[in-house]
Amino acid sequence: MTGRLSGAMMAALLASSAIPAVAETPDRERIAGTVEAQHDANVAALRDWIALPTIAAEKLNTPAGAEYMQQLALDAGFQQAKIIPTDGVPAVFATLDSGADTTLGLYFMYDVKQFDPAEWNSPPLEGRLVEREGEGLAMVGRGAVNQKGPETAFLAAIKAIQASGRKLPVNLVLVAEGEEEVASTHFDQVVAVPEVRDALAKSIGVFIPSAAQGEDGSATITLGAKGAVEFQLVVGGETSDKYPQTDIHSSNHARIENPAWRLVKALDTLVADDGHTPAIDGWFENVRPLTERQKMLIAQNAELNPEAQEKERLGVGRWIDDEPYVTSLERFYSQPTVNIQGLNAGYTGQGGKTVLPGRAEAKLEFRLVPAMTKDEAVSKLKAHLAKRGFDDVQVTVSGGYGPNETEEDSTLIRAQKALFEKDGVPYSIIPRNAGSWPGVIFNGPQLNLPASQFGLSRGGGAHAPNEWFLIESSDPAVNGFDEAVMAYVDYLYAVAEEAGRSD
C-alpha cells in the first residue's frame, strides 16, 4: 500500500467533511520568527522538565511535579494557576483570559512512566539530543513524547503569540493531572471542584496535545479513545490461610497449596482458549459495534499507514489468526481487551531455589470501548471470579475510567480538518485511539464536552526505553519542534474561526 492517501480517498474525506477553508493565521510570519528566536530556550525547557519525573506509581516527586507544572503555566502567561489537592497526587488548574469570544479547555498530564536506566542508550533524565537515522535530531528522555514534548510545544506556542504582541484568539482553561499513568485514579475529584467545573463548562471542548504525525508527514484525527482500568490480582498468605505467609521449601507443595498455580487458574478463566478473546461473564453485553462510517474511516487509515511499516514498528510478523490488515485494525479500534501486564511470584533469579511462593500477583488492564463503563467492567470481573469459587483471589483496582468519543462535526474536529486541508497535510480519521486518556471525564456527565487530541509533531517510544521527541527534522514534510509549535498556533486560530462559524 502507498504511504499517501489516493486521490479517491482524499476526495472522499473532503466530500464527507465539507469544511470551509480557514484563514491564514494573523501575523504568522512574525510569530514564526518569535518561535525561531525562542528555540534554544524552548528545547532547554523540555530538557529541564524531563529532568524532574513525577511517577505516581512510586510516589516520586509529589508534590514537586505539581509545583513545577504550576510554574510552567504561570511562565506561559496564565493569569492564575492553582494546585488542586486530591486523595492522591495533586493536580493543577489554570486559566488564561485573553478577552476572546471562545474558551478552549486544555488537558495536560505531568507524570511519566517508570524507567530502568540499564535499558536505555542514554540516561533517561538527561534529555540528550541524538541523531535518528532518516528522521533528524531528537531529544531522548522519559516523558519526551508522552507528554512533555507536545505540551512544551503548546506552551511555547502561546508564549510566542503573546511575545509577538498579540492576544490569544481563545481563552484557555487548563487542568493538569499527575496520575494519568496509573489510570487517573483521582482525576474526577479535580473536575468536581466547582471552580474547575464551572470554568470548563464555558469551553467549547477540551483537547490534549499529542505527537500524531507519521514518518511521511501525514496526520491522524482521533474521535475518541478506549477507556482503561488498571488492577491487580493477588493470591497468597494475605488472602487465605491455606497459603504460607512467606516463601517456604518446595517439598511442602505435597500438602500446601501453591498460590502461583491458583492465580494461573484464575487468570485462565478471563480469556477463551484462543488466549485473547475476553471470557468474563457478560463482557460483550454493552459493546457497541462499529458503524459503516467507522469501518470506512479505518480502511482509509490503513491506506495512509502501510501494513509492512506497522509490523516493523511493532516487531511482529502477523496479526491474530493471520487476519487481513484492515480486519486487524477493526479489531484494534473496536475490541475491549483483558491484558496481563506482568506476573510476579516466588523466585525469578538465576537457577532454581526450590521454594513454594507465599504470594503471587498479576498486574492487568482492561481496555474499554463504547458503551462500557469502568464500574461495569470491575463488577463483572468480581462476579465472574466469585461464581467460579475464587474467593481467595484479591482484586485491587488502582485506577481507571471509561471510553470517550466525540462527534466528527464538533468544532474541535472541524478545525483540525480545515487546518490540514488548508496546509495540504494528508490525514486520516480513526474512530478512537486504541490507547487511553481520561477524556470521558470531560465528555461524560456533567460537562458533556467534546474531547480530542491534536498535534503535528513526531516522536515515539512511549512507556519504553529510549523514548524520543523530534527537535530538528531532516524531512521537510515532517515537523521539528518549531514547526510543531506553529501547528499549535495555527490550531488555536482555526478553533476560534470554526467556533465563530458555529455561533
Side-chain angles (χ1 to χ4, degrees), residues 19-62:
I19 301 297
V22 295
E24 185 69 22
T25 296
D27 286 341
R28 192 179 194 281
E29 185 174 339
R30 182 178 180 182
I31 297 172
T34 302
V35 171
E36 183 178 358
Q38 295 175 341
H39 175 85
D40 289 348
N42 288 329
V43 172
L46 175 55
R47 181 181 291 114
D48 290 344
W49 200 6
I50 287 173
L52 181 70
T54 297
I55 301 177
E58 299 176 353
K59 302 295 189 293
L60 180 66
N61 290 325
T62 61

Side-chain angles (χ1 to χ4, degrees), residues 94-436:
T95 56
L96 193 163
D97 185 351
S98 64
D101 294 330
T102 299
T103 296
L104 179 63
L106 183 64
Y107 169 85
F108 273 23
M109 52 179 281
Y110 67 83
D111 63 320
V112 299
K113 273 293 186 186
Q114 305 94 313
F115 56 87
D116 180 355
E119 298 175 342
W120 290 61
N121 295 334
S122 62
L125 301 182
E126 181 180 307
R128 182 179 297 180
L129 292 175
V130 175
E131 190 70 30
R132 288 183 58 85
E133 184 177 357
E135 298 258 18
L137 195 64
M139 182 173 292
V140 175
R142 177 52 86 225
V145 70
N146 185 22
Q147 292 281 117
K148 292 179 178 180
E151 290 169 351
T152 300
F154 181 84
L155 294 175
I158 63 176
K159 286 181 182 178
I161 293 173
Q162 296 168 103
S164 301
R166 297 191 65 89
K167 290 185 176 181
L168 265 63
V170 295
N171 311 312
L172 295 175
V173 178
L174 167 68
V175 282
E177 69 161 317
E179 293 183 316
E180 198 281 340
E181 296 294 12
V182 292
S184 303
T185 316
H186 301 98
F187 188 50
D188 57 337
Q189 296 178 5
V190 180
V191 179
V193 174
E195 183 182 13
V196 179
R197 183 191 62 234
D198 293 347
L200 286 169
K202 297 175 183 177
S203 72
I204 60 165
V206 180
F207 93 96
I208 173 176
S210 64
Q213 193 170 35
E215 63 180 344
D216 62 350
S218 61
T220 301
I221 296 175
T222 59
L223 302 180
K226 289 184 177 181
V229 181
E230 293 223 359
F231 62 98
Q232 296 80 43
L233 298 184
V234 176
V235 183
E238 66 199 81
T239 69
S240 173
D241 61 6
K242 62 184 176 183
Y243 308 113
Q245 293 292 321
T246 62
D247 292 1
I248 59 176
H249 196 280
S250 61
S251 63
N252 284 291
H253 190 31
R255 58 178 179 168
I256 298 175
E257 285 205 50
N258 185 322
W261 278 120
R262 183 64 167 166
L263 179 61
V264 168
K265 296 294 185 181
L267 291 170
D268 190 48
T269 71
L270 302 184
V271 295
D273 289 343
D274 61 17
H276 59 81
T277 301
I280 296 171
D281 296 335
W283 186 249
F284 290 94
E285 181 181 8
N286 294 317
V287 172
R288 187 187 305 157
L290 293 170
T291 65
E292 290 305 310
R293 170 63 176 168
Q294 289 172 331
K295 290 179 179 179
M296 185 183 80
L297 293 175
I298 290 170
Q300 292 171 350
N301 178 259
E303 186 164 327
L304 194 63
N305 297 279
E307 180 177 20
Q309 177 181 302
E310 185 75 353
K311 285 181 174 178
E312 181 181 1
R313 182 181 69 85
L314 295 170
V316 299
R318 63 182 68 182
W319 311 115
I320 280 178
D321 297 333
D322 290 318
E323 291 176 337
Y325 183 39
V326 171
T327 305
S328 79
L329 286 174
E330 289 182 356
R331 178 191 293 276
F332 187 48
Y333 296 123
S334 71
Q335 292 301 294
T337 59
V338 179
N339 179 57
I340 298 175
Q341 298 177 355
L343 298 167
N344 186 32
Y347 178 70
T348 59
Q350 186 174 359
K353 197 181 178 184
T354 61
V355 298
L356 188 159
R359 186 180 193 274
E361 177 180 4
K363 294 184 181 293
L364 300 95
E365 109 249 349
F366 294 147
R367 298 284 174 172
L368 309 180
V369 299
M372 304 174 78
T373 67
K374 171 193 171 185
D375 290 346
E376 170 204 357
V378 172
S379 176
K380 287 179 175 177
L381 168 67
K382 291 180 177 179
H384 174 95
L385 292 172
K387 180 179 177 180
R388 288 156 180 79
F390 288 106
D391 56 341
D392 54 331
V393 177
Q394 176 181 297
V395 179
T396 301
V397 178
S398 53
Y401 44 83
N404 69 81
E405 53 184 343
T406 288
E407 294 296 329
E408 196 175 340
D409 65 353
S410 70
T411 298
L412 296 183
I413 303 302
R414 291 174 65 87
Q416 292 184 43
K417 291 181 180 180
L419 185 60
F420 294 154
E421 288 161 15
K422 177 180 77 71
D423 293 341
V425 177
Y427 72 92
S428 61
I429 307 172
I430 56 175
R432 67 188 60 95
N433 193 326
S436 303

